[in-house]
């Protein structure tokens, strides 16, 4: 596992930056807007803490950049690494997705539907298990950002990294929430 | 050991001239020495034979590095001269050959391997020797065709060697050494191999029972094989399993997946008992979903708690700037950073005002000023604490979030102030500092 505390430090710095950017913009935001802003800046900060080395982080940044209102935020957060990271992440995501899509199209075109004859119990059980695994893999792919375009091995690696980052994010947010609670409570 | 140390290059007679030893010791030493000599001599005979073979091999191969063969033959000659000098003969000979090979042939290693495989036929030796020559592809491929005399296959040429040889037990050791020595050479060679017929052969200890080497046939299921793919991942097909490339690729993929699943098992809590892929995936999905939900919930909470999205930024920035500095100098200031938090938050109205100012005034005061105020205070405090070194506080772990935890933990204890009653005077120093700063 990579150094968790440094990850948290990085994440927090960027997140606070992002929050400042958000907060300085509008006044009188509704609670939902605020929540979205918080979450968004947290996600982008988390993704940028990975410096574009993992696919899911690139995917989040790319997704965030798609919406115009978020672009400003993204730019600010990635300012140290500048536009290059954002562009590279978008470019990489597009390239990866294209490649995977082409592969899939090839596969589907070559695939032949097999007639299922009477199969033994073992084979049946195996196929059921396979189908379950496939179903769950699809669900996981929908959870991990940018996961639909990854193959199994990649997916598991990305999931590992994503879980680690999510944990750090949750920890930092929780302590921040408690701290603000306490400070406000006085 | 004294005897050995006293053995000069001249011979055993010198030993006898040493007056330190008794007659008995001298006799014993002489006997030992003679025995060693005999052993060495035998070894050397073998070595010489091998060296001559090697020399022949190299001559035949017409190795472009002409110096190679010379060195080999040269090294053979001193052997008789070194017969007297028993115990370090090994080293000398091996050394003599190994040294000039700065192109990393690792000849020394093979020397060791060769000396043990006494029953290896020359072809095997030739193949071994050639296996260590780097970069001379043509030579090596010639050796393959001539020495092995088999059709080329996907396997490495070492397998061909073993096609021929009868002494199989040593092959494992040699195998590994060759692997270590000549990865590059092999990879180039295997690219040239055309035939994709997978001849399975026995190289593994697992299949020791089948090592009557007459049956070097290509039964798919019977024996262990080594398959080399273009990206040089060495895959061992297990006994009784299919060995065509598709299933092997499948196996590699499955192994990779299961390896990564193991990491995930460590990461996701509660996954130790689950063994199936589907179950593990289930747990992983649940965990990821729960983490994501937590993030949503916490962001909602933060949004509710901060009507203006300010988050006591100055507060946090100040602490953040203080903490990295503190954690870097952990041994000295680490505990004082711990002290700074409680001091900062807790000490008295002065500090509470400070905090409150930070929290509320962001909108009013320009952030810079507030930052200056807050950063100056914590920075001055560590110095005072360095002076007063009589602390019995527990050391916090040098992590930043631990510091933040301490922050609000101590804030909880605000009412009690237990930690400060023991050091009231230091506290007063602080307070005075703070007042000065403010």
């Amino acid at each position: 596992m990579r150094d968790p505390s440094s990850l948290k430090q990085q994440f927090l710095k960027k997140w606070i930056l992002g929050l400042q950017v958000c907060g300085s913009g509008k006044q009188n935001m509704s609670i939902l807007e605020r929540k979205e802003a918080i979450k968004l800046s947290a996600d982008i900060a988390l993704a940028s803490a990975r410096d574009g080395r993992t696919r899911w982080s690139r995917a989040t940044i790319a997704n965030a950049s798609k919406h115009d209102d978020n672009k400003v935020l993204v730019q600010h957060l990635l300012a140290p690494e500048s536009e290059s990271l954002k562009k590279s992440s978008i470019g990489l995501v597009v390239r990866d997705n294209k490649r995977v899509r082409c592969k899939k199209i090839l596969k589907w075109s070559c695939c032949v539907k097999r007639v299922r004859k009477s199969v033994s119990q073992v084979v049946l059980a195996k196929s059921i298990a396979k189908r379950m695994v496939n179903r769950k893999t699809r669900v996981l792919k929908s959870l991990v950002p940018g996961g639909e375009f990854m193959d199994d091995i990649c997916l598991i690696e990305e999931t590992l990294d994503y879980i680690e980052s999510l944990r750090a994010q949750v920890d930092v947010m929780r302590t921040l929430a408690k701290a603000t609670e306490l400070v406000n409570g006085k | 050991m004294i005897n050995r140390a006293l053995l000069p290059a001249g011979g055993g007679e010198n030993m006898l001239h040493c007056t330190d030893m008794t007659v008995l010791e001298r006799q014993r030493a002489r006997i030992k020495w003679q025995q060693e000599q005999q052993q060495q001599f035998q070894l050397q005979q073998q070595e010489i034979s091998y060296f001559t073979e090697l020399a022949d091999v190299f001559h035949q191969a017409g190795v472009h590095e002409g110096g190679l063969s010379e060195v080999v033959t040269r090294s053979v000659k001193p052997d008789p001269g070194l017969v007297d000098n028993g115990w370090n003969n090994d080293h000398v000979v091996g050394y003599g050959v190994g040294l000039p090979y700065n192109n990393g042939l690792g000849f020394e290693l093979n020397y060791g391997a060769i000396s043990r495989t006494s029953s290896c036929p020359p072809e095997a030796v030739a193949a071994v020797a050639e296996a260590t020559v780097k970069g001379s592809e043509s030579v090596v491929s010639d050796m393959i065709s001539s020495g092995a005399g088999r059709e080329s296959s996907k396997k490495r040429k070492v397998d061909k060697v073993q096609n021929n040889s009868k002494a199989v037990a040593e092959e494992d050791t040699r195998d590994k050494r060759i692997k270590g020595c000549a990865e590059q050479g092999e990879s180039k060679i295997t690219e040239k191999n055309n035939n994709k017929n997978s001849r399975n052969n026995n190289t593994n200890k697992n299949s020791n029972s089948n090592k009557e080497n007459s049956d070097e046939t290509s039964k798919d299921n019977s024996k262990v094989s080594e398959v080399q793919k273009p990206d040089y991942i060495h895959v061992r097909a297990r006994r009784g399993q299919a060995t065509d490339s598709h299933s092997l690729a499948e196996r590699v993929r499955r192994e990779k997946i299961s390896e990564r699943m193991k990491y995930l098992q460590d990461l996701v809590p509660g996954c130790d008992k689950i063994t199936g892929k589907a179950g593990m995936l289930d747990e992983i999905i649940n965990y990821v979903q729960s983490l994501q939900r937590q993030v949503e919930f916490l962001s909602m909470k933060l949004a509710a708690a901060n009507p203006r999205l300010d988050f006591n930024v100055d507060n946090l920035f100040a602490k953040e700037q203080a903490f990295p500095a503190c954690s870097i100098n952990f041994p000295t200031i680490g505990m004082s950073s711990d002290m700074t938090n409680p001091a900062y938050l807790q000490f008295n109205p002065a500090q509470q005002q400070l905090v409150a100012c930070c929290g509320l005034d962001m909108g009013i005061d320009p952030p810079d000023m507030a930052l200056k105020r807050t950063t100056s205070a914590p920075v001055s405090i560590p110095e005072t604490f360095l002076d007063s070194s009589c602390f019995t506080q527990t050391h916090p772990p040098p992590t930043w979030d631990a510091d933040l935890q301490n922050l609000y933990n101590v804030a909880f204890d605000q009412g009690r102030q237990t930690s400060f009653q023991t050091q009231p005077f230091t506290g007063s120093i602080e307070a005075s500092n703070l007042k000065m700063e403010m």
Side-chain angles (χ1 to χ4, degrees):
Chain A
M1 204 185 281
R2 280 166 267 214
D3 183 19
S5 57
S6 73
L7 171 64
K8 287 182 190 175
Q9 273 182 349
Q10 261 190 323
F11 164 62
L12 185 71
K13 270 192 220 169
K14 298 203 170 166
W15 187 28
I16 301 285
L17 251 180
L19 284 171
Q20 275 185 325
V21 168
C22 283
S24 60
K26 312 180 220 175
Q27 301 290 332
N28 300 331
M29 291 194 278
S30 74
I31 191 168
L32 275 174
E33 281 178 351
R34 267 180 281 148
K35 174 225 168 196
E36 284 304 319
I38 292 171
K39 181 156 185 292
L40 182 70
S41 47
D43 288 340
I44 297 180
L46 193 66
S48 65
R50 279 286 177 241
D51 289 332
R53 271 179 274 128
T54 50
R55 282 206 201 171
W56 67 266
S57 55
R58 295 198 288 259
T60 30
I61 294 179
N63 286 338
S65 316
K66 276 187 209 162
H67 307 288
D68 291 326
D69 16 327
N70 304 340
K71 269 191 184 162
V72 178
L73 179 61
V74 176
Q75 275 170 7
H76 275 269
L77 275 179
L78 298 178
E81 297 91 49
S82 85
E83 287 291 302
S84 61
L85 178 59
K86 187 178 90 164
K87 283 182 188 160
S88 68
S89 64
I90 297 178
L92 280 166
V93 167
V94 170
R95 188 197 69 186
D96 291 336
N97 298 352
K98 270 192 189 161
R99 206 194 316 150
V100 175
R101 260 191 237 125
C102 291
K103 273 193 197 167
K104 279 190 180 171
I105 292 174
L106 260 176
K107 255 195 224 172
W108 292 336
S109 61
C110 299
C111 173
V112 177
K113 287 271 181 183
R114 289 194 205 115
V115 179
R116 209 195 304 169
K117 302 179 273 189
S118 61
V119 289
S120 69
Q121 286 296 319
V122 176
V123 178
L124 189 64
K126 273 193 190 173
S127 66
I128 290 178
K130 260 195 207 171
R131 256 182 281 150
M132 272 184 66
V133 168
N134 287 341
R135 212 177 299 156
K136 299 209 181 342
T137 316
R138 255 180 281 147
V139 174
L140 187 59
K141 280 185 181 177
S142 69
L143 281 178
V144 175
E148 303 92 24
F149 305 104
M150 299 183 214
D151 55 337
D152 280 352
I153 299 174
C154 218
L155 180 67
I156 297 189
E157 280 177 2
E158 295 286 322
T159 315
L160 268 168
D161 195 62
Y162 186 53
I163 287 179
E164 203 184 310
S165 318
L166 271 181
R167 256 203 214 161
Q169 186 183 18
V170 164
D171 280 341
V172 169
M173 289 177 90
R174 195 182 293 146
T175 52
L176 184 62
K178 278 195 187 169
T180 48
E181 228 182 72
L182 288 164
V183 170
N184 287 347
K186 279 189 228 155
Chain B
M1 298 312 278
I2 301 171
N3 301 337
R4 287 191 167 195
L6 289 173
L7 262 184
E13 295 81 24
N14 295 344
M15 207 171 61
L16 302 173
H17 293 316
C18 294
T19 52
D20 290 344
M21 289 192 280
T22 63
V23 175
L24 191 59
E25 280 177 352
R26 272 185 234 146
Q27 279 180 351
R28 262 191 248 143
R30 206 189 319 168
I31 293 167
K32 261 193 229 169
W33 176 71
Q34 280 173 355
Q35 283 173 351
E36 283 170 5
Q37 246 196 320
Q38 283 169 3
Q39 285 173 6
Q40 293 302 324
F41 193 76
Q42 284 168 4
L43 267 178
Q44 280 165 34
Q45 290 301 325
Q46 289 173 356
E47 289 151 13
I48 290 171
S49 64
Y50 286 135
F51 277 125
T52 48
E53 283 164 0
L54 283 169
D56 291 343
V57 161
F58 284 122
H59 279 301
Q60 281 173 14
V63 178
H64 61 274
E65 300 165 13
L68 216 105
S69 50
E70 285 172 42
V71 171
V72 171
T73 50
R74 224 186 297 134
S75 69
V76 173
K77 282 178 203 162
D79 280 355
L82 289 173
V83 166
D84 327 346
N85 201 359
W87 59 279
N88 59 357
N89 204 8
D90 271 358
H91 301 282
V92 170
V93 171
Y95 211 47
V97 175
L99 261 185
Y101 284 66
N102 290 327
N103 53 358
L105 284 182
F107 207 88
E108 236 176 337
L109 288 176
N110 274 328
Y111 160 76
I114 290 167
S115 62
R116 254 173 261 146
T117 62
S118 50
S119 58
C120 268
E123 288 164 319
V125 175
V128 165
E130 131 238 297
T132 61
V133 173
K134 244 206 285 188
S136 50
E137 290 176 89
S138 55
V139 175
V140 179
S141 52
D142 285 344
M143 294 310 297
I144 292 175
S145 47
S146 63
R150 309 266 157 187
E151 65 273 25
S152 53
S153 76
K154 256 202 281 194
K155 295 176 308 181
R156 301 177 311 170
K157 58 194 175 308
V158 179
D159 296 341
K160 288 177 190 151
V161 169
Q162 286 136 12
N163 275 335
N164 304 334
S165 70
K166 294 152 196 165
V168 181
E170 303 87 4
E171 280 164 12
D172 290 334
T173 55
R174 208 182 344 141
D175 217 7
K176 285 163 192 158
R177 271 170 222 193
I178 293 166
K179 239 194 245 185
C181 296
E183 282 294 339
Q184 284 188 16
E186 288 165 6
S187 54
K188 286 180 199 160
I189 291 156
T190 51
E191 274 182 357
K192 298 201 170 188
N193 290 335
N194 308 324
N195 196 343
K196 301 233 164 165
N197 187 14
S198 64
R199 291 209 86 144
N200 303 328
N201 215 337
N202 44 349
T203 62
N204 210 358
K205 294 168 190 165
N206 297 341
S207 57
N208 263 331
S209 54
N210 297 342
K211 277 184 183 170
E212 315 339 302
N213 281 327
S214 49
D215 50 331
E216 312 146 342
T217 54
S218 55
K219 290 180 199 162
D220 271 354
N221 297 339
S222 58
K223 296 176 190 165
V224 169
S225 77
E226 285 183 21
V227 177
Q228 196 147 17
K229 298 162 150 215
D231 56 348
Y232 313 128
I233 297 175
H234 294 264
V235 181
R236 280 238 158 100
R238 291 197 202 103
R239 207 179 147 185
Q241 293 183 331
T243 53
D244 51 313
S245 61
H246 287 295
S247 45
L248 275 164
E250 265 290 311
R251 184 168 307 118
V252 167
R253 181 178 158 273
R254 261 181 277 147
E255 278 170 4
K256 274 194 197 169
I257 289 183
S258 53
E259 188 191 325
R260 283 161 179 92
M261 292 286 238
K262 274 189 220 150
Y263 291 138
L264 274 173
Q265 247 183 348
D266 298 332
L267 205 57
V268 176
C271 251
D272 331 336
K273 294 146 194 166
I274 302 177
T275 45
K277 241 201 231 179
M280 286 255 342
L281 278 172
D282 227 1
E283 284 298 317
I284 293 166
I285 289 172
N286 286 338
Y287 192 53
V288 169
Q289 273 174 342
S290 82
L291 282 174
Q292 284 176 338
R293 263 183 258 137
Q294 274 182 8
V295 167
E296 297 258 347
F297 169 70
L298 282 169
S299 60
M300 188 60 142
K301 192 169 168 188
L302 279 168
N306 293 280
R308 283 177 305 137
L309 270 190
D310 47 11
F311 291 106
N312 294 334
V313 177
D314 298 331
N315 220 357
L316 293 160
F317 262 141
K319 282 183 190 36
E320 206 199 346
Q321 285 168 16
F323 289 4
C326 292
S327 57
I328 288 169
N329 309 325
F330 172 63
T332 52
I333 307 183
M335 59 179 181
S336 57
S337 77
D338 193 18
M339 295 301 290
T340 56
N341 302 338
Y344 191 50
L345 262 191
Q346 166 180 344
F347 191 75
N348 266 329
Q351 298 189 9
Q352 281 184 359
Q353 282 172 18
L354 197 61
V355 171
C357 286
C358 295
L360 299 174
D361 291 353
M362 188 189 158
I364 302 172
D365 288 358
D368 306 340
M369 268 192 54
L371 261 174
K372 274 190 213 153
R373 239 189 295 148
T374 56
T375 48
S376 56
V379 167
S380 63
I381 290 173
E383 291 161 30
T384 64
F385 278 99
L386 275 176
D387 297 336
S388 52
S389 54
C390 51
F391 286 130
T392 53
Q393 296 283 333
T394 55
H395 285 258
T399 58
W400 181 81
D401 54 342
D403 287 337
L404 196 52
Q405 298 256 348
N406 287 328
L407 167 64
Y408 63 84
N409 279 337
V410 173
F412 265 133
D413 299 345
Q414 193 176 353
R416 289 180 264 144
Q417 293 200 1
T418 48
S419 51
F420 285 89
Q421 272 149 14
T422 54
Q423 295 119 18
F425 60 98
T426 54
S428 61
I429 294 176
E430 248 173 82
S432 58
N433 273 349
L434 274 173
K435 280 172 190 161
M436 285 193 305
E437 290 298 329
M438 284 184 28

